[in-house]
Amino acid sequence: YVREQTKDGRPWDGNVPTKYKIQVNTTAGGGKIGEEKSLGRWVNKQRTIFQEGKLKKDRLMDLERIGLKWSVLVITPWSTMYGSLCAYAEEKRKQNGVWDGNVPVNYKTQSNPPLNLGRWVNRQRSAHAEGRLTDEFVRKLEAVGLKWAVHKRKRTNEDDVDYDKGKF
């Protein structure tokens, strides 16, 4: 994998995508099998073992020698995510004349790489509910129109049904 990534002289970023698969053509005994194995999942397992302090020293040294990064978590700055939220809100206002203050939890931006804006908004709501969001961030999010609670349920006729008394 590393050779493939660096063949044009580009440096390797030290990561293997989780879904990356390799073709395994031989068994340890030399027999042919032609089986697909997930290299990305194997690398993630090595990272887990490393974080637990259980990775054998020789394997650790081999993986470090080829340039494997033990942590590849990319953290997007708050200001970048906030800018994406502002763009999302503006787009919704252009489409509908108003934005409801919500972002679907699975919404990702069209940027490259895509940003998980819906998950970020939910984390901001959680941080706000727990008192961990700074006053500045609260003001900015409220100014763009973010609603802290969006799961308000509208009352229906079914709410008036008394199931205990058998009245439907």
Side-chain angles (χ1 to χ4, degrees):
Y1 179 82
V2 176
R3 271 187 243 126
E4 178 184 312
Q5 294 300 306
T6 59
K7 68 181 174 192
D8 298 330
R10 296 173 302 180
W12 180 43
D13 66 2
N15 190 27
V16 178
T18 300
K19 294 181 180 180
Y20 186 83
K21 296 185 183 281
I22 57 172
Q23 191 73 28
V24 178
N25 295 320
T26 57
T27 64
K32 300 238 180 230
I33 52 174
E35 179 182 0
E36 256 191 9
K37 295 281 187 178
S38 177
L39 179 62
R41 289 178 67 181
W42 181 85
V43 167
N44 285 344
K45 180 68 175 169
Q46 302 313 299
R47 287 186 176 124
T48 300
I49 295 168
F50 169 77
Q51 290 166 352
E52 294 169 347
K54 298 178 181 176
L55 190 64
K56 293 181 180 176
K57 187 167 180 119
D58 61 332
R59 181 166 291 174
L60 182 138
M61 290 176 14
D62 287 344
L63 292 171
E64 285 182 346
R65 187 173 25 78
I66 64 168
L68 182 74
K69 301 281 190 263
W70 295 112
S71 176
V72 292
L73 181 63
V74 176
I75 298 174
T76 305
W78 194 93
S79 59
T80 301
M81 295 305 293
Y82 175 72
S84 294
L85 177 63
C86 290
Y88 178 87
E90 182 62 30
E91 183 61 31
K92 291 297 177 184
R93 288 183 181 112
K94 282 181 187 174
Q95 291 173 357
N96 308 321
V98 67
W99 175 47
D100 66 1
N102 191 27
V103 178
V105 71
N106 61 348
Y107 178 80
K108 293 182 181 182
T109 66
Q110 298 298 311
S111 60
N112 188 12
L115 303 174
N116 291 314
L117 186 60
R119 288 180 56 202
W120 181 81
V121 165
N122 279 354
R123 286 194 304 272
Q124 302 313 298
R125 287 184 176 128
S126 294
H128 179 261
E130 296 167 5
R132 296 184 293 110
L133 200 58
T134 67
D135 291 342
E136 176 191 1
F137 289 173
V138 169
R139 280 192 302 276
K140 285 183 171 189
L141 293 169
E142 287 176 347
V144 77
L146 180 71
K147 302 293 184 224
W148 297 115
V150 294
H151 301 294
K152 294 193 178 187
R153 196 170 149 255
K154 292 184 180 177
R155 188 173 170 85
T156 66
N157 288 339
E158 285 187 10
D159 291 333
D160 296 328
V161 174
D162 189 343
Y163 290 102
D164 293 333
K165 295 182 181 173
K167 296 179 183 176
F168 297 55

